[in-house]
Amino acid sequence: QVQLVESGGGLVQFGGSLRLSCAASGRIFSIATMDWYRQAPGKQRQLVALVTSSGSTNYADSVKGRFTISRDNAKNTMYLQMNSLKPEDTAVYYCHANLRTESSGPTYSYWGQGTQVTVSS
């Protein structure tokens, strides 16, 4: 069984910073892409940032220059450093990973339970 567990969410003032972590555990052979999504009340879940196994990254336009995604492959852990936070960044942030549980097996999609980020104005 594979689990993704997020941590690091909370309440922060406008212009503040938070660092989210996502730890993957269980039967994992390899992890391809890892991503952060967010969902604000009444809105669809949207991709915030992704990082490939080789370290290539991509960001939503709304967070470019403010957020930094990274991963530690040895620890199966991903991070999201969020700086210059704005009230519109308020959302539940979800960790997502595409991974294999065995060398010759298919790639599966896994989600974390989500962590709340609230930015006050």
Side-chain angles (χ1 to χ4, degrees), residues 20-32:
L20 305 183
S21 299
C22 170
S25 63
R27 184 176 178 177
I28 298 171
F29 174 76
S30 64
I31 303 177

Side-chain angles (χ1 to χ4, degrees), residues 5-8 18-24 34-36 48-51 57 59 67-82 93 95-96:
V5 179
E6 301 104 332
S7 60
L18 282 175
R19 189 190 194 214
L20 305 183
S21 299
C22 170
M34 298 185 79
D35 341 279
W36 288 100
V48 175
L50 67 85
V51 57
T57 60
Y59 297 90
F67 290 11
T68 303
I69 190 171
S70 61
R71 64 191 276 180
D72 184 334
N73 290 330
K75 296 181 179 179
N76 288 335
T77 301
M78 172 178 64
Y79 306 96
L80 185 69
Q81 177 65 43
M82 305 185 293
Y93 283 70
C95 168
H96 172 260

